[in-house]
Amino acid sequence: QVQLVESGGGLVQAGGSLRLSCAASGRTFRNYRAGWFRQAPGKEREFVASISWSGGNTQYADSVKGRFTIPRDNAKNMAYLQMNSLKPEDTAVYYCALAPRPTQYDYWGQGTQVTVSS
């Protein structure tokens, strides 16, 4: 089973930046699409961003376009979420996930808290 560990969350002022990391261990990370999701209290989990295994295709939620990027480094078994121009509305627990097959996010981390204050 693939294991994912997120790190880099914390408290930041509005307008600031954070870089979340997702470290993967186990089999064939290189072939998996990587995604980031988030969930705020009382809200459903929502999609944030994803990147194909090659890095050639990225997708972003409308709410984060132009502010977030999702680089990855397959040689290091790492995926990232670079978050700039943070807003209080970005406050949530952020999860990384891997999809061995299209639309099938089978592997999930335990999440890291991001809190953005005014």
Side-chain angles (χ1 to χ4, degrees):
Q1 186 86 343
V2 174
Q3 187 165 253
L4 304 177
V5 179
E6 302 98 332
S7 62
L11 193 154
V12 64
Q13 292 289 116
S17 298
L18 284 174
R19 182 178 173 89
L20 305 184
S21 298
C22 177
S25 61
R27 47 186 172 85
T28 188
F29 172 86
R30 187 172 303 176
N31 295 330
Y32 297 169
R33 188 174 192 91
W36 286 92
F37 298 78
R38 66 187 182 187
Q39 187 167 24
K43 301 284 189 178
E44 292 186 348
R45 183 185 64 197
E46 66 174 344
F47 169 79
V48 176
S50 69
I51 184 169
S52 62
W53 74 269
S54 68
N57 175 267
T58 56
Q59 299 284 339
Y60 297 95
D62 288 343
S63 59
V64 306
K65 285 179 181 176
R67 300 189 298 121
F68 292 10
T69 57
I70 181 172
R72 72 187 295 167
D73 188 339
N74 292 338
K76 297 180 179 179
N77 282 352
M78 297 288 290
Y80 308 92
L81 185 68
Q82 179 65 48
M83 305 185 294
N84 301 322
S85 302
L86 282 161
K87 305 174 180 179
E89 307 90 84
D90 296 318
T91 296
V93 177
Y94 284 71
Y95 301 89
C96 66
L98 297 179
R101 300 169 298 280
T103 75
Q104 302 297 315
Y105 285 97
D106 292 337
Y107 306 109
W108 294 81
Q110 291 189 298
T112 186
Q113 176 71 47
V114 172
T115 302
V116 184
S117 65
S118 299

